[in-house]
Amino acid sequence: MKFNTKTIHGGQHPEPSTGAVMPPVFQTSTFAQSSPGVHKGYEYSRAANPTRTALEDALASIENGARGLAFSSGLAATDCVLKLLKPNDEVIAMDDLYGGTYRMFSKVYSEFGIKFHFVDMNDFEKLESLFNENTKLVWVETPTNPLMKLADIAKIAELTKKKNVLFAVDNTFATPYLQNPLDLGADIVMHSATKYLGGHSDVIAGALVAKTEEIGEKLHFAQFATGATLGPNDAYLVLRGIKTLHLRIQRHSENGQKVAEYLEKHPKVKRVYYPGLESHPNHEIAKKQMHGGFGGMVSFTFASEKKEDSIKFLENVKVFTLAESLGGVESLANHPALMTHASVPEDKRKELGITDDMVRLSVGVEDAEDLLNDLEQALNS
Ligand SMILES: *Cc1c(COP(=O)(O)O)cnc(C)c1O
């Protein structure tokens, strides 16, 4: 099956007892057994629930993996991967990560004796020099938030295979419509399904997809043993979202490209961060590993370099909504330094390049003309 068909049919079957085309929301904690230990494959919903199974099979299908797992949040999914590790293990992670991922690594798991190295994944020599016999996991996010930095998945996979180290990719921004990390050599894909997979800003959810049954089984054990599973209602919402993923991402990408090109030409704008622009420093990697577009996330800074100008802009947008989060059908605008990345210390923000005049846009699926008109009036306000 090709991708667009998989979003709708991948891993899906009519519900056996009624023929319902969409899986019912199996709002139940437990399942009747005919004799002790004799059941229809379901015992207790933390271990498995049919609505969640339908979502997990869809996830495995669209990410070309052996096993999908659904979690109560994106961070719960990341947390599950970290539970494969032991004290003294080492992790090599990208230097520009979702703030919550960085917080979990540096504040929670480093307290359990796991050592983290944060590195610029485009500095290959540095990356290679960090491997030792304790290295167990490489963690990459691409594109990143809000700077849209890219990491070369195939190139890193070559290295992790040689060193026999697990390689996980946070594919939240790209989604499998644009990028397939498992096909490029990664072992695990992670998603904040809260974003594009859900796609409608109405659910918090996370996902993992393992390339092999063996890794999938280890992750399922950690999930079952520690409990951060997704409830059936939320599983239903994410599954419903996935059925239009291909349609939405196509439009997000078209609109994202238009918005990025418009902003790049605007006299009030200094710099635009979008992997689909030739001016993007990682544009060649983007062309190599992404396909069908470059997504809906665009960041930019102001020619004046003034924080006040970015605030004024955000107070004046009308079609865009000033809010955190991303990946829903509606366009959102955010001020990373004051909102999503406020927990990153100021000197660290400066070091990364998250300036006080930076605005991040999650470009939605509205008419591009309305979005561009809105940006124009807000930039001129
Ligand atoms: C939002 C996000 C997360 C965390 O997901 P939650 O669903 O909020 O727990 C992780 N990675 C990226 C790239 C995100 O955008």
Side-chain angles (χ1 to χ4, degrees):
M1 259 193 268
K2 294 178 76 173
F3 187 80
N4 297 345
T5 311
K6 282 200 220 174
T7 63
I8 297 158
H9 298 291
Q12 305 305 298
H13 316 281
E15 196 275 318
S17 69
T18 61
V21 168
M22 277 300 280
V25 177
F26 283 90
Q27 194 71 51
T28 186
S29 59
T30 190
F31 300 83
Q33 308 196 2
S34 56
S35 176
V38 180
H39 52 75
K40 297 176 173 163
Y42 293 96
E43 300 156 84
Y44 185 62
S45 280
R46 171 155 42 72
N49 171 287
T51 316
R52 198 169 87 230
T53 303
L55 168 62
E56 291 177 335
D57 291 348
L59 290 165
S61 170
I62 60 173
E63 283 288 9
N64 302 333
R67 179 88 183 250
L69 294 165
F71 293 84
S72 53
S73 71
L75 286 182
T78 302
D79 175 75
C80 184
V81 177
L82 273 286
K83 282 170 179 152
L84 301 181
L85 306 179
K86 296 189 300 297
N88 297 322
D89 283 351
E90 297 191 12
V91 178
I92 305 174
M94 193 149 169
D95 61 353
D96 186 24
L97 291 177
Y98 175 72
T101 308
Y102 178 73
R103 182 171 55 211
M104 185 195 303
F105 290 1
S106 61
K107 297 248 163 69
V108 179
Y109 279 100
S110 61
E111 295 289 309
F112 287 86
I114 294 168
K115 191 169 171 189
F116 293 88
H117 304 273
F118 297 97
V119 62
D120 176 353
M121 291 281 167
N122 290 310
D123 184 347
F124 228 67
E125 259 169 53
K126 180 78 193 293
L127 171 62
E128 195 158 11
S129 75
L130 290 171
F131 281 85
N132 63 43
E133 67 277 11
N134 293 330
T135 310
K136 294 289 154 60
L137 174 69
V138 171
W139 187 277
V140 157
E141 188 179 318
T142 181
T144 63
N145 175 9
L147 294 162
M148 311 297 150
K149 275 204 215 173
L150 270 67
D152 188 329
I153 298 171
K155 206 167 159 193
I156 296 167
E158 242 172 70
L159 197 57
T160 55
K161 280 214 168 63
K162 200 168 81 189
K163 310 270 187 191
N164 201 19
V165 164
L166 271 184
F167 179 24
V169 176
D170 180 339
N171 204 28
T172 299
F173 269 36
T175 82
Y177 182 82
L178 302 174
Q179 175 172 283
N180 307 101
L182 299 183
D183 293 349
L184 296 168
D187 301 299
I188 299 170
V189 165
M190 174 265 163
H191 277 277
S192 169
T194 311
K195 314 294 168 52
Y196 288 107
L197 296 188
H200 296 76
S201 307
D202 52 8
V203 63
I204 297 282
L208 293 178
V209 180
K211 176 140 183 156
T212 64
E213 248 335 311
E214 190 194 347
I215 299 169
E217 197 44 50
K218 283 184 190 160
L219 291 168
H220 177 253
F221 175 78
Q223 183 195 41
F224 168 66
T226 63
T229 55
L230 190 64
N233 266 295
D234 289 347
Y236 180 85
L237 286 173
V238 177
L239 183 64
R240 182 181 166 123
I242 287 174
K243 288 182 188 288
T244 56
L245 181 68
H246 54 306
L247 303 172
R248 289 183 288 107
I249 301 299
Q250 201 178 330
R251 179 65 73 83
H252 280 295
S253 296
E254 281 168 21
N255 285 354
Q257 188 77 35
K258 283 180 190 162
V259 163
E261 285 172 10
Y262 159 82
L263 288 171
E264 196 170 44
K265 288 197 206 95
H266 202 283
K268 292 202 170 151
V269 171
K270 181 174 171 206
R271 185 158 168 204
V272 182
Y273 300 78
Y274 185 71
L277 292 177
E278 269 171 40
S279 59
H280 189 286
N282 300 138
H283 184 57
E284 288 308 313
I285 303 178
K287 280 198 297 191
K288 190 175 80 153
Q289 72 186 15
M290 298 174 82
H291 44 76
F294 301 96
M297 297 304 297
V298 183
S299 298
F300 70 97
T301 57
F302 285 77
S304 66
E305 297 181 15
K306 281 194 186 136
K307 180 180 175 179
E308 305 85 76
D309 282 358
S310 61
I311 292 173
K312 189 164 236 167
F313 168 85
L314 289 166
E315 284 170 353
N316 280 286
V317 285
K318 291 188 175 70
V319 181
F320 282 83
T321 301
L322 174 59
E324 294 196 6
S325 200
L326 59 106
V329 288
E330 66 290 312
S331 290
L332 301 180
N334 159 56
H335 193 285
L338 293 176
M339 296 164 65
T340 46
H341 292 66
S343 67
V344 180
E346 196 179 340
D347 54 333
K348 177 98 180 132
R349 281 204 306 266
K350 285 247 154 62
E351 194 187 307
L352 286 169
I354 305 172
T355 56
D356 286 346
D357 65 333
M358 180 174 279
V359 165
R360 187 193 77 187
L361 302 175
S362 172
V363 180
V365 299
E366 300 93 340
D367 281 305
E369 197 180 335
D370 289 328
L371 298 178
L372 298 185
N373 286 340
D374 191 37
L375 296 174
E376 181 68 24
Q377 66 79 22
L379 282 166
N380 290 328
S381 61

